[in-house]
Amino acid sequence: MVAFYVFCPALVASKLAQTITSKSIVEMWFMPINILITFIIGSILGWIVILVTRAPPHLSGLILGCCSAGNLGTILLIIIPSICKEKGGPFGAPDVCQTNGMGYVSLSMAIGSIYIWSYAYNIVRIFSRRSTKGSEVSEISISMPSKESSTSDPESCIEPLPSSSKDMIAEDNEDHQCAVPCSRSVAKPEVVSSINMVSVTDKVKQNISMLFRKTNMSAILNPSTIAAIVGFVIGLVPEIRKLMIGEGAPLRVIQDSVLLLGDGAIPAVTLIIGGNLLKGLQGQGIRKSFIIGIVIVRYIALPLTGIFIIKGAQKIGLLHSDPLYRFVLLLQYALPPAMSIGVMTQLFGAGENECSVIMLWTYALASISLTLWSTAFIWLVA
């Protein structure tokens, strides 16, 4: 709780306030698009895993969430400082590298939390509700009696009407049949088209309002996202930036205090990941094909796709020349699944035990995968 509400927001706000300017925000415009691409490609590959492995409905949302949403904050918080501390590294001086790198990581964490709690959250919610509806329908069909048993029940038998009552009903029907002239109004084409347009606009408004109602806005506006907004405001507004950022700033003590709080984020997040992975040792069994499919998507297919996308964007001229920025963009394709997926499965009660086992294996293999891909990415950008 302290890491979620204090350490990580302090880190995000302080690093973004230091690194974000009107010039840098223009240079980093591709990062939100890049993260969105990772989610879309991961969803497509996750759907292929579902079709190949024939996953049950209650695990479809879990597989799609694990394939699409990567851990865009905590893992990068551990990797970037360790790479920047090396003397003579490929990303320049350690102080400059760590300042710029943590700014990139903070922006990645803020954007990733928005995508996770708006995109992946709704995927898990939709598939979990489909599975619960299917189970409710099956239970209702089992509890409903069959037609033969209902007709054979003597208490449920209906006696036929006597012939006199049938004659009375027929006479009443004949008396009430009046010859009323039939008048049909033919609508003009303009009126029909206007009615259709109104109905389409009403449907669009209903769908948009339903989307806003079902979207968990409190999860999207989590403390890290709010801290990112504060960091953007401090960095982009020159008057506020002069007051808080810099050696001669009169309110520099606030920035220094927030920086001290942010330094506790990395060790706290490391402990949280280790504690969450212990749940996988106590989880029930899961088909190996699910784990293999998610591992192939996250550690083989997505990183290879990311290399082609980032290289193509660099040739077109969409990325600026900082190699550390390109390294962070490439690393966003090779991360393990987001820990927030486990929170979502607990929230909707669909695939909670399976999620803990998937997280255990994916994070156990992440140490090998991230080492290999980090080496390859540094060689590509350096």
Side-chain angles (χ1 to χ4, degrees):
M1 295 295 287
V2 176
F4 182 73
Y5 286 103
V6 179
F7 291 154
C8 288
L11 180 68
V12 170
S14 60
K15 297 301 180 181
L16 282 179
Q18 279 185 340
T19 57
I20 291 297
T21 59
S22 58
K23 181 181 178 181
S24 64
I25 196 66
V26 174
E27 293 177 347
M28 292 191 295
W29 68 271
F30 187 75
M31 183 176 288
I33 299 174
N34 187 66
I35 296 175
L36 181 61
I37 292 172
T38 62
F39 274 73
I40 294 173
I41 296 176
S43 300
I44 296 171
L45 296 175
W47 190 254
I48 295 173
V49 172
I50 292 173
L51 295 177
V52 172
T53 59
R54 296 179 181 179
H58 71 283
L59 294 181
S60 298
L62 171 61
I63 294 173
L64 284 175
C66 290
C67 291
S68 61
N71 196 331
L72 296 165
T74 54
I75 298 298
L76 292 177
L77 284 176
I78 300 171
I79 294 175
I80 298 300
S82 61
I83 291 177
C84 290
K85 287 178 181 178
E86 296 180 1
K87 295 182 179 180
F91 303 122
D95 295 337
V96 178
C97 173
Q98 188 158 356
T99 301
N100 294 334
M102 295 309 292
Y104 299 149
V105 173
S106 301
L107 182 60
S108 175
M109 183 188 300
I111 297 170
S113 64
I114 295 173
Y115 286 153
I116 287 171
W117 288 102
S118 59
Y119 183 87
Y121 172 83
N122 285 297
I123 287 178
V124 177
R125 176 182 61 82
I126 290 170
F127 279 93
S128 63
R129 288 189 177 182
R130 284 183 182 178
S131 62
T132 53
K133 285 181 181 179
S135 61
E136 287 176 359
V137 169
S138 62
E139 289 177 359
I140 291 172
S141 62
I142 292 172
S143 61
M144 286 290 287
S146 61
K147 292 182 179 180
E148 295 179 358
S149 61
S150 62
T151 54
S152 61
D153 190 2
E155 296 181 356
S156 63
C157 294
I158 301 173
E159 295 182 357
L161 288 172
S163 58
S164 59
S165 62
K166 291 181 181 178
D167 295 335
M168 292 174 64
I169 293 173
E171 289 175 3
D172 292 336
N173 290 333
E174 288 176 0
D175 293 335
H176 286 85
Q177 287 178 355
C178 300
V180 179
C182 180
S183 61
R184 295 181 181 178
S185 61
V186 180
K188 294 181 179 181
E190 294 84 0
V191 178
V192 174
S193 61
S194 63
I195 292 173
N196 291 332
M197 288 295 294
V198 171
S199 61
V200 171
T201 54
D202 290 339
K203 288 181 180 179
V204 171
K205 290 179 181 179
Q206 289 176 359
N207 292 330
I208 293 174
S209 61
M210 186 180 297
L211 178 63
F212 278 106
R213 283 198 304 269
K214 291 184 177 180
T215 302
N216 192 353
M217 295 303 296
S218 61
I220 295 175
L221 295 175
N222 56 57
S224 296
T225 306
I226 297 172
I229 296 172
V230 174
F232 275 117
V233 172
I234 294 173
L236 294 176
V237 179
E239 291 77 10
I240 302 177
R241 186 180 181 87
K242 290 178 182 179
L243 288 174
M244 300 184 65
I245 307 299
E247 294 183 358
L251 299 179
R252 186 187 173 188
V253 63
I254 299 176
Q255 174 70 6
D256 293 340
S257 302
V258 176
L259 278 172
L260 288 175
L261 287 174
D263 290 338
I266 297 174
V269 163
T270 306
L271 292 174
I272 290 171
I273 291 176
N276 289 334
L277 293 180
L278 288 176
K279 298 178 182 178
L281 296 174
Q282 302 172 355
Q284 297 177 356
I286 184 175
R287 281 166 53 182
K288 295 180 180 179
S289 58
F290 300 157
I291 301 174
I292 294 172
I294 294 172
V295 167
I296 291 173
V297 169
R298 293 234 55 105
Y299 297 147
I300 298 176
L302 271 177
L304 292 175
T305 307
I307 291 174
F308 288 105
I309 292 173
I310 300 303
K311 282 294 182 182
Q314 183 181 357
K315 287 183 179 180
I316 297 173
L318 300 178
L319 308 179
H320 64 88
S321 58
D322 187 6
L324 180 60
Y325 177 65
R326 298 199 301 271
F327 174 74
V328 172
L329 293 179
L330 286 169
L331 206 59
Q332 289 172 350
Y333 289 90
L335 297 172
M339 282 290 180
S340 303
I341 303 297
V343 178
M344 298 173 193
T345 56
Q346 293 177 1
L347 182 63
F348 297 111
E352 182 178 349
N353 294 325
E354 292 84 352
C355 181
S356 61
V357 178
I358 290 173
M359 291 295 174
L360 175 65
W361 283 103
T362 52
Y363 276 80
L365 296 173
S367 57
I368 301 172
S369 174
L370 286 173
T371 302
L372 296 176
W373 282 117
S374 297
T375 306
F377 294 157
I378 290 173
W379 177 76
L380 287 172
V381 302

